Amino acid sequence: MSQEIQLTSQFCTSVDRAVELGKKVSMITYVMGDVGEAKLKYILLRILSSVGRDDLMELFYTAAKELIVNSTKAAIKRIIFEELNLNIQNVKDYEEGMKLFKTSLNERKFPNYKKKMRETGLFVKITCIYRQDKIDLEIKNNFPLLPIEAERVKEKFINAKKYDNLFEFFMEHGDSTEGAGMGITMVEILLSQSGFDRRLLSIYSSERKKETIARVEVHLSEIPKSPETHEQLFVE
């Protein structure tokens, strides 16, 4: 029987004060466990309550968890390629490494890589920026997308438009692996089912800044209509 996670009073007080002042709230994770999820939930609950939109908890919590998992996988992928002495920039090595990457994740699980992420300086940063009429959720990696990753993200954005609900997606892909783009699809569907434009999910990658940011931007006062040409992937 699982026990409810008790967060420290210091953490809760820090979050409460930041929200009262309308300041952005950030947290860093390596491989998110039960405590990390509890902290994420507390942050989102406090922010959504402050803007009177507790009803959006499922949207933001699920979207955050999906995007965090994607970002964690991307970091672990780089560690595994190093362990296998494969050049992640080489197309042939990348295809070979991806097969081993999926096997390694199944056998060794995420928690085993928490220490290695710390040692290599790789992390996932979650940031919430908000005001009464808008909430931005950002999930950041401290490395840019590879060209092949950017192409696959672009394909995932395109393919996600084919599905109106998760049932359709699971029926077609079953227990498909990382390449199916489950995170992008799930977040887009959640946005749509919550009455928002699904293209409010976007991904930014910068070689110059050495970062990749997945962003969900939700306008609370009105639902802006994005043009058909609205881009969701930005690479510099």
Side-chain angles (χ1 to χ4, degrees):
M1 183 175 178
S2 61
Q3 294 183 336
E4 184 178 350
I5 301 296
Q6 295 295 322
L7 299 175
T8 66
S9 59
Q10 181 181 5
F11 171 82
C12 295
T13 299
S14 296
V15 173
D16 292 348
R17 287 176 178 170
V19 173
E20 285 173 8
L21 295 172
K23 293 183 177 180
K24 69 179 181 181
V25 181
S26 298
M27 63 178 283
I28 288 177
T29 184
Y30 296 91
V31 175
M32 183 170 279
D34 292 341
V35 174
E37 289 187 11
K39 287 182 175 180
L40 173 64
K41 186 175 291 186
Y42 186 85
I43 290 170
L44 292 174
L45 280 170
R46 290 291 289 113
I47 289 173
L48 291 171
S49 178
S50 74
V51 298
R53 293 305 303 266
D54 300 74
D55 59 304
L56 295 179
M57 183 61 188
E58 181 180 358
L59 166 63
F60 276 98
Y61 183 63
T62 305
K65 285 188 63 176
E66 287 297 318
L67 295 174
I68 289 167
V69 167
N70 281 3
S71 295
T72 304
K73 281 184 177 181
I76 293 174
K77 179 198 300 183
R78 283 153 175 78
I79 293 172
I80 291 176
F81 271 69
E82 285 289 331
E83 292 177 340
L84 297 172
N85 292 316
L86 291 173
N87 181 3
I88 200 169
Q89 301 280 354
N90 179 278
V91 175
K92 185 177 179 181
D93 276 6
Y94 185 85
E95 295 297 337
E96 180 63 26
M98 283 304 295
K99 298 174 186 176
L100 299 170
F101 163 66
K102 294 164 186 174
T103 302
S104 295
L105 278 187
N106 290 336
E107 291 176 352
R108 298 160 71 176
K109 307 300 182 184
F110 275 14
N112 296 324
Y113 286 96
K114 187 170 187 175
K115 181 181 178 183
K116 292 184 179 181
M117 282 183 67
R118 286 180 179 272
E119 291 173 346
T120 55
L122 300 177
F123 60 80
V124 178
K125 184 176 183 180
I126 305 103
T127 301
C128 292
I129 305 168
Y130 54 96
R131 54 180 189 261
Q132 283 300 126
D133 63 342
K134 188 171 183 282
I135 299 177
D136 291 350
L137 170 69
E138 297 182 352
I139 311 297
K140 182 172 80 171
N141 280 125
N142 56 338
F143 51 80
L145 290 173
L146 301 167
I148 191 169
E149 290 175 321
E151 284 302 313
R152 292 190 175 181
V153 167
K154 189 183 297 183
E155 292 172 5
K156 291 172 186 178
F157 274 128
I158 294 171
N159 290 334
K161 304 298 181 292
K162 299 188 301 184
Y163 306 101
D164 292 323
N165 57 68
L166 289 175
F167 177 74
E168 292 178 1
F169 179 77
F170 288 127
M171 284 296 291
E172 181 166 329
H173 292 279
D175 293 327
S176 196
T177 51
E178 182 259 354
M182 185 182 297
I184 286 175
T185 303
M186 182 174 289
V187 176
E188 284 206 5
I189 290 173
L190 284 170
L191 281 166
S192 180
Q193 291 181 341
S194 298
F196 299 103
D197 191 320
R198 60 199 300 157
R199 289 168 296 183
L200 294 178
L201 166 65
S202 57
I203 295 178
Y204 301 78
S205 176
S206 172
E207 177 68 38
R208 178 174 58 85
K209 296 181 180 179
K210 302 299 181 188
E211 66 181 20
T212 301
I213 301 175
R215 180 176 293 140
V216 177
E217 303 176 78
V218 172
H219 296 260
L220 304 176
S221 57
E222 59 180 308
I223 302 176
K225 297 299 181 182
S226 300
E228 291 300 318
T229 57
H230 181 70
E231 293 292 335
Q232 288 177 272
L233 174 64
F234 302 85
V235 179
E236 65 170 27

